Amino acid sequence: MKRNEIARLLPGVFQRTLDESGPLVALLDVMEALHAPSEAALAGLPSLFDPLRAPERFVPFLARWVDLGVPVTTGLGRMRELVAAAVELSRWRGTARGLLLFLRTATGREDFVIEERVPGANGRPRPFHLRVRAPAELAPHRPMVEAIIEREKPAYVTYELHFGQPIPGAS
């Protein structure tokens, strides 16, 4: 608060005795200086909750806050993108679309393939089973990819993960 704003809050008897050279003005200046750090922090508050502008140390907190309990090994920028997409990810959780969106956002790669009709030993599709094909370059991030799949697939669904070239025309 500025000195004149604080002065308006004083009782009338104090307001009438305000003199630019008096001790009360000096006290108001001190009060203004004491409020300055808090006001600066409050002015910057909206940027803390914007994942694209938040300080680096605050982004993991934001990720936990929006329930993204996955260890992101592809960098802070990807974590920022995941937090920014948290509402959309939550909306599609438990679906193939949600799984693809999470994988693409976490890695920055678009060439994931999810096969929902995986043939079994008898040639017929295995019920409640997925095959996820990931780009070969992401093999070092296998624990993160597996954590994402485990988190986003329905609990009763099994999966297999393959790293390699995507199948042309598959989606």
Side-chain angles (χ1 to χ4, degrees), residues 58-170:
F58 201 66
V59 176
F61 170 76
L62 290 175
R64 286 190 303 276
W65 198 30
V66 294
D67 195 29
L68 296 177
V70 174
V72 179
T73 59
T74 50
L76 184 66
R78 291 283 111 214
M79 187 181 291
R80 289 179 187 275
E81 293 295 329
L82 280 170
V83 173
V87 171
E88 191 71 10
L89 292 171
S90 179
R91 178 179 296 142
W92 293 104
R93 189 166 190 186
T95 66
R97 179 178 177 172
L99 176 57
L100 269 177
L101 178 62
F102 204 121
L103 288 168
R104 289 173 176 170
T105 306
T107 62
R109 298 288 304 256
E110 295 290 322
D111 46 351
F112 283 91
V113 176
I114 296 179
E115 299 173 29
E116 293 179 298
R117 297 181 53 84
V118 180
N122 60 3
R124 295 189 358 225
R126 292 173 59 183
F128 310 113
H129 186 77
L130 297 174
R131 180 180 295 146
V132 179
R133 296 190 183 274
E137 296 82 14
L138 293 176
H141 300 283
R142 181 183 200 97
M144 178 188 74
V145 173
E146 287 178 338
I148 291 170
I149 295 169
E150 284 290 336
R151 172 189 161 78
E152 293 301 308
K153 71 172 184 61
Y156 56 86
V157 173
T158 58
Y159 74 94
E160 53 191 82
L161 174 61
H162 297 282
F163 290 92
Q165 298 293 12
I167 298 171

